[in-house]
Amino acid sequence: MIARRLLALAATPVLAALLAGASQGGGATPGAPTAGDPYFPQSGDGGYHVVHYRIGLGYTPASRHLDATAVLTSRATQNLSSFDLDLSGLTVSSVRIDGRSVAFSRSGVKLKVTPAHALPKGRTFTTTITYAGVPKDVTDPDGSADGWIVQKDGSVFVASEPQGAMTWFPSNSHPLDKSTYQVSVTVPDGWTAVSNGRLQNRRSSHGRTTFDWRETSPMAAYLATASIGRFQVQSYRTASGLPVYNAVDPAEAKAAAPVLAQIPAVIAWESKLFGPYPFDAAGAIVEHAHGVGYALETQTRPVYDRAPDIDTLVHETAHQWFGDSVSLDRWKDIWLNEGFATYAEWLWDAQHGGPSTAQRLATDYALPAGNDLWAFPAGDPGEAANIFGTPPYERGAMVLEKLRERVGDRAFFTILRSWAGDRRYGHGDTAQFIELSEKISGRKLDSLFATWLYGQGKPATL
Ligand code: ARG
Ligand code: ZN
């Protein structure tokens, strides 16, 4: 019976790999070459957790060339005979574990590393990867570009949701694995490189400037950035002492200024609604990269492809609580990010002369059954190509308004604050959100979520 089950399981590549490893003896097996997410099966790796990334990049805008070293401090979560990192393109010249050169191979977007001796479960080890080349962004299932996106002038827009981290550093690229980061970028004088968290140091020599950044809160790989441009930089502290660092492409500076000036007010307003701001830094990177077509909530410091409007700023800032501090377990739950950030826009608009959230819900509900809004349920996009479609955003916000209508303001805002507070720096999935909502409101909410979050098409009544 057991043998039969194993044989059946061995038909899947991951388990076949595990079984092959098991037969090599020592009880150590290869880490699975996937985090097991059906939407992005090639993303992430099993068998280890990355505690900390120390990434050093040297970038030359004129040639687009990147010279890099990544030092990953990891902990084995099983007895590991080998493991994978996600890396797309680029040339790896060496991999060392705890300082010693080890064997490695490339296959598709996987960099497979085989230590000289198996790494026992619980062991902390460092992996140093030296690599170089001209990074190339990846095309997502929905056709958008993601990762290291170079502009005509050599500046770089780095936004890696969901899978683009692999275009610029070797990582365990799934939000299940969160880590702290140090990113140092060296660019020619006159250029500025901006990453997450706080700027620790900046130094110049021989015509090149190095920017040392540090993110001290756990971060999913897709939220890391190292955007590079000829930016105008502004840095200051908010009234409550939070350091803000904004880097803005001169072509967008005039349009961006009044909106960026609202960053402290937006953070203060969202902190009242959602609980304390989760991170120790804030700011914005505003590029002139209209071809990209989106912004991203890169942790502490969202990156915008143009001067944002206030709604976009409110949206990306709300993601710091919903998506960044509290991460997804799987991409199917994307409404937990996008629905919540969209609802933050509804709340902002309602308090700043726009329609009430109830009116927003009614206006959306009035859209005809053939509208994109009803194409698939917010809670079940069905495939990777749909995660940034309209339903996770707009229907996701509608779900929250239906919840608020049902449980009342007091319970509703307690639910939002508890979600962000209880799961700060961690993870949450939809079932846990429903459970929390039922617990706080004392109501059974399964039919509400069945209809509004998981229902196919337009619900029969509002
Ligand atoms: N999370 C971003 C936002 O809504 C959108 C990212 C879109 N990414 C992409 N590859 N299309 O704020
Ligand atoms: Zn969003």
Side-chain angles (χ1 to χ4, degrees):
M1 184 60 191
I2 289 172
R4 272 252 311 271
R5 270 191 63 198
L6 282 177
L7 275 177
L9 290 169
T12 73
V14 174
L15 281 145
L18 284 173
L19 291 174
S23 67
Q24 284 162 15
T29 53
T34 175
D37 191 317
Y39 281 28
F40 293 92
Q42 63 177 16
S43 289
D45 307 277
Y48 67 97
H49 154 58
V50 183
V51 178
H52 183 72
Y53 289 87
R54 185 152 59 81
I55 301 166
L57 308 175
Y59 176 68
T60 305
S63 63
R64 275 66 166 155
H65 187 84
L66 182 71
D67 249 308
T69 304
V71 183
L72 281 57
T73 305
S74 306
R75 194 169 57 242
T77 54
Q78 65 177 67
N79 293 331
L80 263 186
S81 58
S82 67
F83 61 93
D84 293 275
L85 293 158
D86 300 344
L87 186 67
S88 164
L90 303 165
T91 301
V92 174
S93 54
S94 83
V95 179
R96 281 171 290 154
I97 291 187
D98 295 334
R100 290 180 46 194
S101 278
V102 296
F104 65 90
S105 61
R106 306 285 304 270
S107 167
V109 298
K110 293 295 174 183
L111 165 64
K112 182 176 178 181
V113 178
T114 306
H117 303 287
L119 297 159
K121 181 175 177 177
R123 166 76 59 84
T124 297
F125 60 98
T126 61
T127 310
T128 304
I129 301 104
T130 308
Y131 59 103
V134 175
K136 220 180 127 1
D137 54 57
V138 284
T139 304
D140 291 330
D142 66 3
S144 61
D146 151 29
W148 184 275
I149 306 171
V150 181
Q151 305 301 302
K152 271 210 256 343
D153 63 352
S155 64
V156 196
F157 181 93
V158 183
S160 300
E161 187 185 25
Q163 53 172 354
M166 65 184 177
T167 67
W168 61 284
F169 68 101
S171 70
N172 188 342
S173 183
H174 191 278
L176 279 172
D177 204 46
K178 296 171 74 166
S179 321
T180 54
Y181 282 73
Q182 271 169 284
V183 177
S184 295
V185 191
T186 302
V187 288
D189 289 348
W191 291 79
T192 300
V194 190
S195 184
N196 315 83
R198 294 191 183 189
L199 182 62
Q200 298 295 111
N201 189 33
R202 178 204 154 124
R203 57 188 184 274
S204 253
S205 79
H206 301 104
R208 290 175 73 87
T209 307
T210 299
F211 296 83
D212 293 328
W213 292 91
R214 183 181 202 117
E215 172 54 41
T216 55
S217 299
M219 176 166 78
Y222 80 87
L223 294 170
T225 188
S227 290
I228 297 165
R230 293 183 176 276
F231 299 131
Q232 295 176 5
V233 169
Q234 176 193 32
S235 79
Y236 61 92
R237 281 180 190 263
T238 65
S240 58
L242 182 70
V244 176
Y245 182 106
N246 296 330
V248 181
D249 187 291
E252 301 289 331
K254 196 161 170 276
V259 181
L260 298 188
Q262 299 259 64
I263 286 175
V266 169
I267 290 176
W269 177 81
E270 292 188 350
S271 302
K272 271 202 223 121
L273 290 170
F274 308 145
Y277 179 72
F279 304 122
D280 70 354
I285 305 164
V286 180
E287 300 212 26
H288 185 65
H290 293 205
V292 172
Y294 62 83
L296 179 67
E297 61 269 25
T298 38
Q299 191 157 306
T300 69
R301 188 161 295 108
V303 54
Y304 300 92
D305 70 333
R306 65 192 74 195
D309 57 22
I310 185 66
D311 281 316
T312 307
L313 185 90
V314 165
H315 179 109
E316 304 310 335
T317 306
H319 274 308
Q320 304 304 311
W321 285 260
F322 305 112
D324 292 10
S325 169
V326 184
S327 294
L328 303 175
D329 281 330
R330 47 179 189 168
W331 288 105
K332 180 186 174 187
D333 284 337
I334 187 72
W335 84 280
L336 291 172
N337 293 5
E338 302 307 345
F340 286 51
T342 302
Y343 195 72
E345 296 177 54
W346 288 23
L347 289 168
W348 177 273
D349 293 347
Q351 291 185 23
H352 294 83
S356 69
T357 56
Q359 283 166 335
R360 289 290 276 264
L361 174 67
T363 307
D364 276 352
Y365 184 74
L367 290 168
N371 190 280
D372 274 358
L373 180 66
W374 310 114
F376 56 87
D380 190 3
E383 52 174 315
N386 287 341
I387 62 173
F388 302 123
T390 307
Y393 287 74
E394 200 67 16
R395 279 175 81 173
M398 294 172 79
V399 173
L400 292 176
E401 178 60 16
K402 288 304 291 182
L403 175 64
R404 180 178 174 189
E405 186 185 285
R406 180 73 184 281
V407 305
D409 278 12
R410 206 187 147 93
F412 177 74
F413 287 104
T414 304
I415 292 166
L416 294 189
R417 273 193 292 275
S418 304
W419 183 249
D422 300 352
R423 298 182 178 279
R424 195 172 164 103
Y425 309 135
H427 294 87
D429 67 24
T430 300
Q432 291 164 334
F433 181 73
I434 296 174
E435 197 186 305
L436 179 73
S437 301
E438 292 191 332
K439 195 177 107 199
I440 288 174
S441 68
R443 289 169 193 265
K444 270 201 78 55
L445 299 167
D446 37 358
S447 71
L448 184 150
F449 285 104
T451 304
W452 289 93
L453 183 60
Y454 290 121
Q456 296 288 343
K458 180 173 174 172
T461 55
L462 181 57

Short mmCIF file of all heavy atoms in Angstrom, two decimals, residues 364-411:
data_model
loop_
_atom_site.label_atom_id
_atom_site.label_comp_id
_atom_site.label_asym_id
_atom_site.label_seq_id
_atom_site.Cartn_x
_atom_site.Cartn_y
_atom_site.Cartn_z
N ASP A 364 -20.61 50.12 -8.66
CA ASP A 364 -20.00 48.91 -9.23
C ASP A 364 -21.07 47.85 -9.51
O ASP A 364 -21.06 47.21 -10.57
CB ASP A 364 -18.96 48.33 -8.27
CG ASP A 364 -17.60 49.00 -8.42
OD1 ASP A 364 -17.43 49.81 -9.36
OD2 ASP A 364 -16.71 48.71 -7.59
N TYR A 365 -21.97 47.69 -8.54
CA TYR A 365 -22.98 46.64 -8.71
C TYR A 365 -23.84 46.90 -9.94
O TYR A 365 -24.31 45.97 -10.59
CB TYR A 365 -23.85 46.52 -7.46
CG TYR A 365 -24.83 45.38 -7.58
CD1 TYR A 365 -24.40 44.06 -7.48
CD2 TYR A 365 -26.18 45.63 -7.87
CE1 TYR A 365 -25.28 43.00 -7.64
CE2 TYR A 365 -27.06 44.57 -8.04
CZ TYR A 365 -26.61 43.26 -7.93
OH TYR A 365 -27.48 42.22 -8.11
N ALA A 366 -24.02 48.18 -10.29
CA ALA A 366 -24.85 48.52 -11.44
C ALA A 366 -24.19 48.15 -12.77
O ALA A 366 -24.84 48.18 -13.83
CB ALA A 366 -25.17 50.01 -11.41
N LEU A 367 -22.91 47.80 -12.76
CA LEU A 367 -22.24 47.45 -14.02
C LEU A 367 -22.87 46.19 -14.61
O LEU A 367 -23.21 45.25 -13.88
CB LEU A 367 -20.74 47.25 -13.81
CG LEU A 367 -19.95 48.53 -13.48
CD1 LEU A 367 -18.54 48.20 -13.00
CD2 LEU A 367 -19.90 49.45 -14.71
N PRO A 368 -23.06 46.17 -15.92
CA PRO A 368 -23.75 45.04 -16.56
C PRO A 368 -23.00 43.72 -16.38
O PRO A 368 -21.78 43.69 -16.22
CB PRO A 368 -23.81 45.44 -18.04
CG PRO A 368 -22.78 46.50 -18.21
CD PRO A 368 -22.65 47.20 -16.90
N ALA A 369 -23.75 42.64 -16.43
CA ALA A 369 -23.20 41.30 -16.20
C ALA A 369 -22.01 41.00 -17.12
O ALA A 369 -21.14 40.21 -16.77
CB ALA A 369 -24.29 40.25 -16.37
N GLY A 370 -21.95 41.64 -18.29
CA GLY A 370 -20.85 41.38 -19.23
C GLY A 370 -19.57 42.13 -18.90
O GLY A 370 -18.53 41.91 -19.53
N ASN A 371 -19.62 43.02 -17.92
CA ASN A 371 -18.43 43.81 -17.57
C ASN A 371 -17.32 42.92 -17.02
O ASN A 371 -17.58 41.92 -16.35
CB ASN A 371 -18.82 44.89 -16.55
CG ASN A 371 -17.71 45.91 -16.31
OD1 ASN A 371 -16.77 45.66 -15.58
ND2 ASN A 371 -17.81 47.05 -16.98
N ASP A 372 -16.07 43.35 -17.27
CA ASP A 372 -14.88 42.65 -16.75
C ASP A 372 -14.96 42.37 -15.25
O ASP A 372 -14.36 41.42 -14.75
CB ASP A 372 -13.64 43.53 -16.93
CG ASP A 372 -13.02 43.37 -18.29
OD1 ASP A 372 -13.54 42.54 -19.07
OD2 ASP A 372 -12.03 44.07 -18.56
N LEU A 373 -15.65 43.26 -14.55
CA LEU A 373 -15.76 43.12 -13.10
C LEU A 373 -16.30 41.75 -12.70
O LEU A 373 -15.92 41.20 -11.67
CB LEU A 373 -16.69 44.22 -12.58
CG LEU A 373 -16.95 44.27 -11.08
CD1 LEU A 373 -15.67 44.62 -10.33
CD2 LEU A 373 -18.04 45.31 -10.77
N TRP A 374 -17.16 41.21 -13.54
CA TRP A 374 -17.83 39.95 -13.18
C TRP A 374 -17.18 38.73 -13.83
O TRP A 374 -17.70 37.62 -13.77
CB TRP A 374 -19.32 40.01 -13.56
CG TRP A 374 -19.98 41.25 -13.07
CD1 TRP A 374 -20.49 42.27 -13.84
CD2 TRP A 374 -20.21 41.63 -11.71
NE1 TRP A 374 -21.02 43.27 -13.04
CE2 TRP A 374 -20.86 42.89 -11.72
CE3 TRP A 374 -19.92 41.04 -10.47
CZ2 TRP A 374 -21.22 43.57 -10.56
CZ3 TRP A 374 -20.29 41.71 -9.31
CH2 TRP A 374 -20.93 42.96 -9.36
N ALA A 375 -16.03 38.95 -14.47
CA ALA A 375 -15.42 37.87 -15.27
C ALA A 375 -15.03 36.65 -14.44
O ALA A 375 -15.12 35.52 -14.91
CB ALA A 375 -14.20 38.41 -16.02
N PHE A 376 -14.59 36.88 -13.22
CA PHE A 376 -14.24 35.75 -12.34
C PHE A 376 -14.32 36.24 -10.89
O PHE A 376 -14.27 37.44 -10.64
CB PHE A 376 -12.86 35.18 -12.69
CG PHE A 376 -11.74 36.18 -12.66
CD1 PHE A 376 -11.05 36.46 -11.48
CD2 PHE A 376 -11.37 36.87 -13.83
CE1 PHE A 376 -10.02 37.40 -11.46
CE2 PHE A 376 -10.34 37.82 -13.81
CZ PHE A 376 -9.66 38.08 -12.62
N PRO A 377 -14.42 35.32 -9.93
CA PRO A 377 -14.55 35.74 -8.53
C PRO A 377 -13.25 36.36 -8.00
O PRO A 377 -12.16 35.91 -8.36
CB PRO A 377 -14.85 34.44 -7.78
CG PRO A 377 -15.14 33.40 -8.81
CD PRO A 377 -14.48 33.84 -10.08
N ALA A 378 -13.38 37.35 -7.13
CA ALA A 378 -12.20 38.00 -6.54
C ALA A 378 -11.34 36.98 -5.79
O ALA A 378 -10.12 37.07 -5.80
CB ALA A 378 -12.64 39.11 -5.59
N GLY A 379 -11.98 36.01 -5.16
CA GLY A 379 -11.25 35.08 -4.31
C GLY A 379 -10.73 33.86 -5.05
O GLY A 379 -10.09 33.00 -4.45
N ASP A 380 -11.02 33.79 -6.35
CA ASP A 380 -10.58 32.63 -7.12
C ASP A 380 -10.32 33.04 -8.57
O ASP A 380 -11.11 32.74 -9.45
CB ASP A 380 -11.63 31.51 -7.04
CG ASP A 380 -11.11 30.20 -7.60
OD1 ASP A 380 -9.92 30.14 -8.00
OD2 ASP A 380 -11.89 29.23 -7.64
N PRO A 381 -9.18 33.72 -8.80
CA PRO A 381 -8.88 34.20 -10.16
C PRO A 381 -8.75 33.08 -11.19
O PRO A 381 -8.85 33.34 -12.39
CB PRO A 381 -7.55 34.94 -9.99
CG PRO A 381 -7.45 35.25 -8.54
CD PRO A 381 -8.16 34.15 -7.82
N GLY A 382 -8.52 31.86 -10.74
CA GLY A 382 -8.52 30.72 -11.67
C GLY A 382 -7.18 30.45 -12.32
O GLY A 382 -6.82 29.31 -12.54
N GLU A 383 -6.46 31.52 -12.67
CA GLU A 383 -5.14 31.31 -13.29
C GLU A 383 -4.26 32.53 -13.07
O GLU A 383 -4.75 33.64 -12.80
CB GLU A 383 -5.28 31.01 -14.78
CG GLU A 383 -6.11 32.02 -15.52
CD GLU A 383 -6.12 31.77 -17.02
OE1 GLU A 383 -5.04 31.51 -17.58
OE2 GLU A 383 -7.20 31.86 -17.63
N ALA A 384 -2.96 32.30 -13.23
CA ALA A 384 -1.97 33.35 -12.96
C ALA A 384 -2.21 34.60 -13.80
O ALA A 384 -1.96 35.72 -13.34
CB ALA A 384 -0.56 32.81 -13.22
N ALA A 385 -2.71 34.45 -15.03
CA ALA A 385 -2.91 35.60 -15.91
C ALA A 385 -3.95 36.56 -15.36
O ALA A 385 -4.05 37.70 -15.81
CB ALA A 385 -3.32 35.13 -17.31
N ASN A 386 -4.75 36.12 -14.37
CA ASN A 386 -5.84 36.95 -13.86
C ASN A 386 -5.55 37.69 -12.57
O ASN A 386 -6.40 38.44 -12.10
CB ASN A 386 -7.08 36.07 -13.61
CG ASN A 386 -7.74 35.64 -14.91
OD1 ASN A 386 -7.52 36.24 -15.96
ND2 ASN A 386 -8.55 34.59 -14.83
N ILE A 387 -4.36 37.48 -11.99
CA ILE A 387 -4.20 38.02 -10.63
C ILE A 387 -4.28 39.55 -10.57
O ILE A 387 -4.68 40.09 -9.56
CB ILE A 387 -2.93 37.50 -9.90
CG1 ILE A 387 -1.65 37.90 -10.63
CG2 ILE A 387 -3.00 36.00 -9.66
CD1 ILE A 387 -0.38 37.54 -9.85
N PHE A 388 -3.89 40.22 -11.66
CA PHE A 388 -4.00 41.69 -11.65
C PHE A 388 -5.19 42.17 -12.48
O PHE A 388 -5.22 43.32 -12.92
CB PHE A 388 -2.69 42.33 -12.12
CG PHE A 388 -1.50 41.93 -11.26
CD1 PHE A 388 -0.39 41.32 -11.83
CD2 PHE A 388 -1.52 42.15 -9.89
CE1 PHE A 388 0.70 40.94 -11.04
CE2 PHE A 388 -0.44 41.77 -9.10
CZ PHE A 388 0.68 41.17 -9.67
N GLY A 389 -6.15 41.29 -12.70
CA GLY A 389 -7.38 41.68 -13.40
C GLY A 389 -8.28 42.49 -12.48
O GLY A 389 -7.98 42.69 -11.30
N THR A 390 -9.41 42.96 -12.99
CA THR A 390 -10.29 43.84 -12.21
C THR A 390 -10.86 43.19 -10.94
O THR A 390 -10.90 43.83 -9.89
CB THR A 390 -11.43 44.36 -13.12
OG1 THR A 390 -10.85 44.93 -14.28
CG2 THR A 390 -12.27 45.40 -12.42
N PRO A 391 -11.32 41.94 -10.97
CA PRO A 391 -12.01 41.40 -9.78
C PRO A 391 -11.21 41.42 -8.47
O PRO A 391 -11.77 41.86 -7.45
CB PRO A 391 -12.40 39.98 -10.21
CG PRO A 391 -12.61 40.11 -11.70
CD PRO A 391 -11.50 41.04 -12.14
N PRO A 392 -9.94 41.00 -8.41
CA PRO A 392 -9.26 41.04 -7.10
C PRO A 392 -9.19 42.46 -6.53
O PRO A 392 -9.23 42.64 -5.31
CB PRO A 392 -7.86 40.49 -7.39
CG PRO A 392 -8.03 39.66 -8.63
CD PRO A 392 -9.09 40.37 -9.43
N TYR A 393 -9.12 43.46 -7.40
CA TYR A 393 -9.08 44.84 -6.94
C TYR A 393 -10.49 45.32 -6.56
O TYR A 393 -10.78 45.62 -5.41
CB TYR A 393 -8.53 45.75 -8.05
CG TYR A 393 -7.05 45.62 -8.31
CD1 TYR A 393 -6.53 44.50 -8.97
CD2 TYR A 393 -6.16 46.62 -7.93
CE1 TYR A 393 -5.17 44.38 -9.22
CE2 TYR A 393 -4.79 46.51 -8.18
CZ TYR A 393 -4.30 45.38 -8.82
OH TYR A 393 -2.95 45.27 -9.05
N GLU A 394 -11.33 45.40 -7.58
CA GLU A 394 -12.60 46.10 -7.39
C GLU A 394 -13.63 45.22 -6.66
O GLU A 394 -14.29 45.68 -5.74
CB GLU A 394 -13.10 46.55 -8.77
CG GLU A 394 -14.11 47.65 -8.74
CD GLU A 394 -13.55 48.99 -8.25
OE1 GLU A 394 -12.31 49.18 -8.20
OE2 GLU A 394 -14.39 49.85 -7.89
N ARG A 395 -13.74 43.96 -7.07
CA ARG A 395 -14.67 43.09 -6.34
C ARG A 395 -14.12 42.81 -4.95
O ARG A 395 -14.89 42.60 -4.02
CB ARG A 395 -14.91 41.78 -7.10
CG ARG A 395 -15.93 41.96 -8.21
CD ARG A 395 -16.07 40.71 -9.04
NE ARG A 395 -16.93 39.70 -8.43
CZ ARG A 395 -17.29 38.59 -9.08
NH1 ARG A 395 -16.86 38.36 -10.32
NH2 ARG A 395 -18.08 37.71 -8.49
N GLY A 396 -12.79 42.82 -4.82
CA GLY A 396 -12.20 42.64 -3.50
C GLY A 396 -12.65 43.76 -2.56
O GLY A 396 -13.01 43.52 -1.41
N ALA A 397 -12.66 45.00 -3.08
CA ALA A 397 -13.13 46.13 -2.27
C ALA A 397 -14.62 46.00 -1.98
O ALA A 397 -15.09 46.32 -0.89
CB ALA A 397 -12.83 47.44 -3.00
N MET A 398 -15.37 45.50 -2.96
CA MET A 398 -16.82 45.30 -2.75
C MET A 398 -17.07 44.30 -1.62
O MET A 398 -17.98 44.49 -0.80
CB MET A 398 -17.48 44.79 -4.04
CG MET A 398 -17.45 45.81 -5.19
SD MET A 398 -18.01 45.09 -6.75
CE MET A 398 -19.80 45.12 -6.53
N VAL A 399 -16.25 43.24 -1.57
CA VAL A 399 -16.39 42.24 -0.50
C VAL A 399 -16.24 42.93 0.86
O VAL A 399 -17.02 42.69 1.79
CB VAL A 399 -15.32 41.13 -0.62
CG1 VAL A 399 -15.34 40.20 0.58
CG2 VAL A 399 -15.49 40.35 -1.91
N LEU A 400 -15.23 43.81 0.97
CA LEU A 400 -15.00 44.48 2.25
C LEU A 400 -16.16 45.42 2.60
O LEU A 400 -16.55 45.51 3.75
CB LEU A 400 -13.66 45.21 2.22
CG LEU A 400 -12.45 44.28 2.16
CD1 LEU A 400 -11.15 45.07 2.04
CD2 LEU A 400 -12.38 43.37 3.39
N GLU A 401 -16.72 46.08 1.59
CA GLU A 401 -17.85 46.95 1.88
C GLU A 401 -19.07 46.12 2.31
O GLU A 401 -19.80 46.51 3.24
CB GLU A 401 -18.18 47.83 0.66
CG GLU A 401 -19.37 48.74 0.81
CD GLU A 401 -19.27 49.76 1.95
OE1 GLU A 401 -18.16 49.99 2.47
OE2 GLU A 401 -20.32 50.32 2.33
N LYS A 402 -19.28 44.97 1.68
CA LYS A 402 -20.39 44.08 2.10
C LYS A 402 -20.16 43.61 3.54
O LYS A 402 -21.10 43.53 4.33
CB LYS A 402 -20.51 42.86 1.18
CG LYS A 402 -21.05 43.15 -0.21
CD LYS A 402 -22.41 43.82 -0.22
CE LYS A 402 -23.55 42.94 0.25
NZ LYS A 402 -24.86 43.65 0.17
N LEU A 403 -18.92 43.31 3.86
CA LEU A 403 -18.59 42.87 5.22
C LEU A 403 -18.88 43.98 6.22
O LEU A 403 -19.51 43.77 7.27
CB LEU A 403 -17.11 42.45 5.28
CG LEU A 403 -16.56 42.07 6.66
CD1 LEU A 403 -17.27 40.82 7.21
CD2 LEU A 403 -15.04 41.80 6.58
N ARG A 404 -18.47 45.18 5.87
CA ARG A 404 -18.67 46.33 6.76
C ARG A 404 -20.16 46.59 6.98
O ARG A 404 -20.61 46.84 8.11
CB ARG A 404 -18.00 47.56 6.14
CG ARG A 404 -18.13 48.81 6.97
CD ARG A 404 -17.38 49.93 6.27
NE ARG A 404 -17.56 51.20 6.92
CZ ARG A 404 -17.15 52.35 6.39
NH1 ARG A 404 -16.55 52.34 5.21
NH2 ARG A 404 -17.35 53.48 7.03
N GLU A 405 -20.92 46.53 5.87
CA GLU A 405 -22.37 46.73 5.93
C GLU A 405 -23.00 45.71 6.91
O GLU A 405 -23.86 46.04 7.71
CB GLU A 405 -22.87 46.51 4.49
CG GLU A 405 -24.29 46.78 4.17
CD GLU A 405 -24.53 46.37 2.70
OE1 GLU A 405 -24.10 47.09 1.77
OE2 GLU A 405 -25.13 45.29 2.48
N ARG A 406 -22.48 44.48 6.85
CA ARG A 406 -23.05 43.39 7.65
C ARG A 406 -22.66 43.46 9.13
O ARG A 406 -23.50 43.26 10.00
CB ARG A 406 -22.56 42.08 7.04
CG ARG A 406 -23.05 40.84 7.72
CD ARG A 406 -24.53 40.60 7.42
NE ARG A 406 -24.98 39.45 8.18
CZ ARG A 406 -24.75 38.21 7.82
NH1 ARG A 406 -24.14 37.95 6.68
NH2 ARG A 406 -25.15 37.20 8.57
N VAL A 407 -21.40 43.77 9.42
CA VAL A 407 -20.92 43.67 10.82
C VAL A 407 -20.87 45.03 11.53
O VAL A 407 -20.70 45.07 12.75
CB VAL A 407 -19.54 42.99 10.91
CG1 VAL A 407 -19.56 41.62 10.24
CG2 VAL A 407 -18.43 43.86 10.32
N GLY A 408 -21.02 46.10 10.77
CA GLY A 408 -20.97 47.44 11.38
C GLY A 408 -19.54 47.98 11.44
O GLY A 408 -18.58 47.22 11.42
N ASP A 409 -19.43 49.30 11.54
CA ASP A 409 -18.12 49.96 11.48
C ASP A 409 -17.17 49.49 12.57
O ASP A 409 -15.99 49.26 12.33
CB ASP A 409 -18.29 51.47 11.62
CG ASP A 409 -18.67 52.10 10.29
OD1 ASP A 409 -19.02 51.34 9.36
OD2 ASP A 409 -18.61 53.33 10.19
N ARG A 410 -17.71 49.36 13.78
CA ARG A 410 -16.83 49.06 14.90
C ARG A 410 -16.13 47.71 14.71
O ARG A 410 -14.90 47.62 14.80
CB ARG A 410 -17.68 49.04 16.16
CG ARG A 410 -16.95 49.35 17.40
CD ARG A 410 -17.92 49.12 18.57
NE ARG A 410 -17.14 48.65 19.70
CZ ARG A 410 -16.64 49.48 20.62
NH1 ARG A 410 -16.85 50.77 20.53
NH2 ARG A 410 -15.92 48.99 21.62
N ALA A 411 -16.94 46.69 14.41
CA ALA A 411 -16.36 45.35 14.21
C ALA A 411 -15.47 45.35 12.96
O ALA A 411 -14.38 44.79 12.95
CB ALA A 411 -17.46 44.31 14.08
#
